[in-house]
Amino acid sequence: MKTSNLYTTAPVRQVMFKTALAMIPGTLAMSGYNIADTWFVGRLPGAEPLAAMGFTFPVIMLVGCVFRGLAIGVMTTTAQALGAGRHDRAARLTSTGLFVIALFSVALAVLGMIGSRWLFELCGAEGETLELVTGYMRIWFFGCMTASLAMTGNDLLVALGASKMASFAMIAGMVVNVVLDPIFIFGWCGLPATGIRGAALATVLSQCFSTVLVLTLLARRYRLLRFERIPWRAGWSAARLIVWFGIPATLGMLMIPLGTGIVTRITAEFGDAAVAATAAAGRVEMIAFVVPMSVGIALTPFIGQNYGAKLYSRIREGQRFVMRFATFFLLASALVATVFSRPIAVFFSVDPEVQRIMAQYLRIVAWGLWGVEVHRFAGFIYTGCGRPAVSGWLNALRIGGLLIPFSLLAYWFRSLEGLFFARLAADVLAALIGWRLASGMTRRLLQRDAAGPAQ
């Protein structure tokens, strides 16, 4: 089947909104995995199962960043090949990339299963909680391959312009997970109750279902996944290109949980109420990000395809549109969060101190959320244009160069309010830098195009 040229022919705003509308349900479904697992595990007796789930999130986030970085490498290079009309090269990049990710996943799974107990002892788990989290993660690590292939397969469907199919695959996997959770956790349908381990098994099997679905689509409908021998030189060249894109993306993404961990540690110095309030406010942030994140999902493949097709004016138009959209949408969201900060805080907590801190957080930090998304979009644009290292440096700048130093300064002054303003300042400055750099790059592409044929 011929792949879609939607990204290179349809009006820019139309393709962005069309993809966003298709991906919103899928984006919400991705959050459904954690929500479902947490809700069902929360029904188990005792605090230990839910505490064990809490220990899994940072590790799963770190592994997910690695998978996402490699997936970006495959998606971007494939999108550039498709934009240039080189379907055979795109198929070779897809097949090689999925093979490389599968091998890496196996190695990571072996290391994870062997080192799970030591890792969570290091994180502070002990007693029954340690036993539970170790049992959960050994099963989860066993499913590393399906998790990584499902993620990459969905990204490739988006790169093809098949955002509805990608969203459907995400939703289908989430539904399977919700159905299997109580069956395995509580022992329904005559099966033995396996508690928290059942949640891990449900996740692995649902991801396996998604993997089979997306790989079948890539192989049969889009002819991008080919089960045939690739010449060594061509395969090695494709693998090097994917890794060249994937490593900076991975390192840049790893900065995000690192920064979150450090800021959380600083916040903990102001008491449990501060940690609880900022954690709850973080959930509100994720709601605000759903729509602009859905718009941004198509940005890297859109840029990649148009870069491959040398349609630089579309890249410039896309860059300006998504950044302006994110700015206006999230500033409007900030206004809502400020006006309703107190009711939102009351909804999430009955503790007066938590309510006070959460309302204060929303009134300050929400005004910088547009900056987070604009900064993220700048990285996507650089990656799509074949400059993944710049994207990685932009992430390092925001986290290591701005957020952490500003947060440490606020801690030095012993000011929780200052910590919130530190986040605001880091987000706004990072956005201004990213916007200026991305605008300059797209402007240079247009100038190069006007000067003569691109090399």
Side-chain angles (χ1 to χ4, degrees):
M1 177 178 177
K2 186 177 180 180
T3 55
S4 171
N5 59 355
L6 180 71
Y7 291 134
T8 56
T9 58
V12 172
R13 295 189 180 192
Q14 177 183 319
V15 71
M16 288 297 175
F17 278 127
K18 183 177 181 179
T19 304
L21 287 174
M23 291 307 300
I24 285 174
T27 304
L28 292 172
M30 294 305 295
S31 301
Y33 276 92
N34 286 334
I35 293 173
D37 286 354
T38 303
W39 191 85
F40 283 115
V41 169
R43 310 278 77 78
L44 292 170
E48 291 83 2
L50 205 54
M53 288 292 293
F55 278 105
T56 69
F57 291 146
V59 176
I60 291 175
M61 181 185 294
L62 285 171
V63 175
C65 286
V66 175
F67 289 159
R68 175 62 66 191
L70 293 174
I72 287 173
V74 180
M75 176 181 66
T76 306
T77 53
T78 300
Q80 290 179 349
L82 290 171
R86 303 176 65 183
H87 190 276
D88 286 342
R89 175 174 172 78
R92 185 165 63 247
L93 287 164
T94 296
S95 303
T96 303
L98 290 172
F99 180 70
V100 169
I101 288 175
L103 288 180
F104 180 83
S105 300
V106 170
L108 185 60
V110 171
L111 291 175
M113 286 188 285
I114 293 174
S116 286
R117 189 175 188 85
W118 170 82
L119 175 63
F120 289 103
E121 283 180 341
L122 191 65
C123 291
E126 56 186 21
E128 178 65 16
T129 300
L130 176 61
E131 297 301 323
L132 290 173
V133 70
T134 301
Y136 180 97
M137 287 304 297
R138 282 177 178 164
I139 296 173
W140 188 90
F141 275 119
F142 184 78
C144 265
M145 183 186 294
T146 55
S148 61
L149 292 180
M151 180 184 295
T152 308
N154 280 322
D155 284 352
L156 286 167
L157 289 175
V158 175
L160 287 161
S163 51
K164 289 183 179 179
M165 295 307 303
S167 189
F168 172 77
M170 295 177 188
I171 294 170
M174 188 270 292
V175 170
V176 171
N177 183 68
V178 171
V179 171
L180 294 180
D181 260 340
I183 294 175
F184 294 137
I185 293 173
F186 305 119
W188 291 5
C189 302
L191 295 177
T194 53
I196 189 174
R197 292 175 177 83
L201 183 58
T203 297
V204 170
L205 290 178
S206 61
Q207 289 172 342
C208 184
F209 174 82
S210 296
T211 299
V212 172
L213 179 58
V214 297
L215 295 188
T216 300
L217 288 169
L218 290 171
R220 295 188 177 181
R221 174 174 288 194
Y222 298 105
R223 303 286 188 251
L224 273 186
L225 180 58
R226 298 176 179 175
F227 299 96
E228 59 187 31
R229 183 180 179 275
I230 299 175
W232 168 254
R233 181 171 295 181
W236 176 246
S237 175
R240 282 196 305 171
L241 182 62
I242 289 165
V243 171
W244 186 73
F245 273 84
I247 288 179
T250 300
L251 293 177
M253 294 192 73
L254 286 174
M255 292 295 296
I256 297 172
L258 174 63
T260 301
I262 292 174
V263 173
T264 300
R265 180 67 183 85
I266 295 172
T267 305
E269 294 297 319
F270 295 95
D272 291 342
V275 176
T278 55
R283 304 298 185 271
V284 178
E285 285 184 30
M286 294 310 300
I287 296 171
F289 280 133
V290 166
V291 173
M293 280 179 67
S294 298
V295 173
I297 283 173
L299 186 56
T300 300
F302 169 84
I303 298 294
Q305 281 209 25
N306 284 283
Y307 185 78
K310 300 182 175 62
L311 299 175
Y312 303 133
S313 62
R314 289 178 62 82
I315 294 176
R316 174 71 167 172
E317 184 182 354
Q319 173 254 318
R320 297 176 72 177
F321 168 69
V322 296
M323 288 188 169
R324 289 175 179 176
F325 175 81
T327 299
F328 288 121
F329 183 90
L330 288 168
L331 284 176
S333 300
L335 180 61
V336 173
T338 300
V339 172
F340 295 101
S341 59
R342 186 68 183 177
I344 293 172
V346 171
F347 176 80
F348 276 90
S349 177
V350 296
D351 186 297
E353 182 64 6
V354 172
Q355 293 173 1
R356 182 189 69 79
I357 295 173
M358 184 177 177
Q360 182 184 49
Y361 178 101
L362 291 172
R363 287 193 295 266
I364 297 171
V365 174
W367 291 99
L369 296 185
W370 69 273
V372 176
E373 207 66 357
V374 165
H375 171 269
R376 197 168 68 94
F377 287 171
F380 289 171
I381 291 165
Y382 268 101
T383 298
C385 289
R387 296 163 176 81
V390 178
S391 176
W393 278 112
L394 281 171
N395 274 329
L397 170 66
R398 176 178 171 263
I399 302 298
L402 297 172
L403 180 60
I404 293 176
F406 289 175
S407 298
L408 289 172
L409 183 62
Y411 174 64
W412 188 71
F413 282 105
R414 300 294 299 175
S415 170
L416 181 59
E417 183 180 18
L419 188 63
F420 300 156
F421 276 109
R423 163 74 188 276
L424 174 63
D427 291 345
V428 171
L429 286 174
L432 296 176
I433 294 169
W435 196 323
R436 183 174 180 82
L437 289 175
S439 297
M441 186 193 64
T442 56
R443 187 167 54 249
R444 287 191 297 274
L445 286 175
L446 285 175
Q447 292 170 350
R448 188 177 74 180
D449 192 35
Q455 300 298 320

